[in-house]
Every structure is written in C-alpha cells, then in structure tokens.
Amino acid sequence: MVNAGSARKEVHVKVFAISDLHLSGGLQKPMDVFGPHWRDHFARISEDWRARVSPEDLVLLPGDFCWAMQLSQAMDDLRAVAALPGTKVLLRGNHDFWWSSISRVRAALPDGMLALQNDAIVTERAVLCGTRGWLCPGDSALSADDLRVYQREVARLQLSLECAEKKRAEARARGVELPLVAMLHFPAFCDAEIPSGFTELLEAHEVPLCIYGHLHGPGLATAYNGKLRGVEYKLVSCDGLGFKLTELMG
C-alpha cells in the first residue's frame, strides 16, 4: 500500500479461517433442518466477519462452500462471500459439486477470491497448500473405492506440498521466510494412533499448522485439536466455531 507521499506503509495481515458454510447454492436448502443453531447462520458469520476482518486480511475456506450442483448456481453465494472483507482462499469439499475443472472455477471467481488445487498459494503470512482429503485408514467405513480416492488425495497433497516448498524457497531467496499452512477438508487421520498418508506428508515437510472441517454435530466431539507429531491440527467447521471465524495468525 502506498500513501499520498509515495512512502510504503507497512500493512499487518491477519489470517482467519472458517469452513463448511453450506450456503444454499440457489437450491433453497436452509441449514436449520440440521438444528435451530443453524438458523440464519450466514448472517451471523457475516456480522462477525465484517467486525473483525480488514480488507488486507486473509480468510481460508477449506471446503463445503455451498450446495450448488453447477458453477452457475454457486455464483450468487460466491459473490456474497466475495463482498465481505479480505482475500478468500477456497478449497474443494466433498459437497462442492459445483466445483468443476480448476480452470473454470478460477475464471469464474469474483475478485478477491483464490482457489487452491494441486498447487500452492503464496500470501504475506504463509505459503498455503492442501487438498480435499478423504476417509483414512482405520475408518470402519473405508471401502475399496474409498481407498482409491484416499490414495489419489494423498498424491494430490504431495503435489501441493512440492509446489509449496518450491514457492517457499523462492520467497526465502528474496529474504522472506514463510511457514507452510495446510488446508484439508476431511480430517488428516481417523485415529491419532494410526498414521495416514496425509499425516506422514505433513510431518515430512514439517508443516506447523493444518486446518480442516467436514465434521458436524456429534462428529465435533471426535475432532482433534492440538499438536500431533509436530503438526498442529485445528478444526474450523463453522458450527464448531459457534459461527464465528477463528484467527490463525494475528
């Protein structure tokens, strides 16, 4: 940012996160069918967002953005969130069926919105990487088909981390040291005692922070919040946060 005297003004960027907004996507699907605590949830999120986020700040949105089935149906919700302060970084969730090819998504996103998929994004505070994730080993529901999706998602996280490491090295060459922050939609593991391909990659790349969503209702009680083998895991599902953004970096 440059002021009228052309002197550079330092801007302190804060980083926030919230996931699983589950906006209607033009389908008239109110979330209060899942409980009265969901009533007017986006209005409450927006009120908190406007009160705490500045235009220069960053908001991470790891998945389940809206119920739309087609990209065109998601546009009203994308524009509504884009109108809120800050730069937003989106990751695909398992209910984001509107998310087609990444090139189409990026071409359609309003200004101030970025999409993360199979790559990495450099910001003022961190290099962002991640993937949707899936069910992990140890989950009793894991089928042969799920295992194939899981393995594909692990490969995608590896691609993203490799890209992030390259971008981090480029920033370091410019004299800027940035941490890695990973975004997943699904939890990185089913059981803290059972490593997954996701946890092994995060640990190998010494990622200090991994945020995730996906869990709701009774599932919130199973969420892991804390450090595990050097990686801090933080659940950011909106109902788990009381429909308020969580501040990751102040």
Side-chain angles (χ1 to χ4, degrees), residues 189-200:
F189 52 87
C190 172
D191 186 325
E193 301 301 317
I194 304 175
S196 73
F198 304 119
T199 62
E200 290 173 348

Side-chain angles (χ1 to χ4, degrees), residues 77-208:
D77 290 331
L78 288 167
R79 284 188 285 264
V81 173
L84 296 170
T87 297
K88 302 87 182 172
V89 180
L90 280 67
L91 183 82
R92 186 178 188 177
N94 60 303
H95 288 297
D96 288 318
F97 297 109
W98 59 272
W99 188 302
S100 52
S101 72
I102 187 60
S103 59
R104 287 192 63 214
V105 170
R106 285 175 173 158
L109 288 180
D111 290 344
M113 278 190 158
L114 305 171
L116 177 64
Q117 182 172 305
N118 298 342
D119 55 6
I121 296 173
V122 179
T123 74
E124 291 87 345
R125 297 297 302 274
V127 180
L128 307 177
C129 56
T131 193
R132 179 187 60 183
W134 202 250
L135 301 180
C136 291
D139 193 316
S140 59
L142 188 72
S143 67
D145 287 340
D146 288 321
L147 183 59
R148 284 191 287 271
V149 177
Y150 158 78
Q151 291 169 339
R152 184 183 68 201
E153 288 296 311
V154 169
R156 287 178 170 175
L157 179 59
Q158 182 171 356
L159 284 174
S160 183
L161 281 163
E162 289 172 353
C163 183
E165 292 284 16
K166 181 179 179 180
K167 290 180 180 291
R168 190 182 185 205
E170 291 169 351
R172 186 180 296 119
R174 301 192 302 270
V176 180
E177 190 65 42
L178 295 171
L180 299 179
V181 172
M183 299 168 61
L184 295 177
H185 178 64
F186 284 80
F189 52 87
C190 172
D191 186 325
E193 301 301 317
I194 304 175
S196 73
F198 304 119
T199 62
E200 290 173 348
L201 283 170
L202 296 172
E203 293 162 23
H205 287 266
E206 299 182 343
V207 176

Side-chain angles (χ1 to χ4, degrees), residues 47-89:
E47 182 180 7
D48 175 70
W49 191 317
R50 292 190 185 97
R52 298 169 58 205
V53 179
S54 298
E56 64 271 13
D57 292 338
L58 188 68
V59 181
L60 310 184
L61 302 166
D64 281 4
F65 180 81
C66 75
W67 292 106
M69 300 299 292
Q70 303 292 332
L71 180 55
S72 60
Q73 295 173 331
M75 291 309 301
D76 283 348
D77 290 331
L78 288 167
R79 284 188 285 264
V81 173
L84 296 170
T87 297
K88 302 87 182 172
V89 180

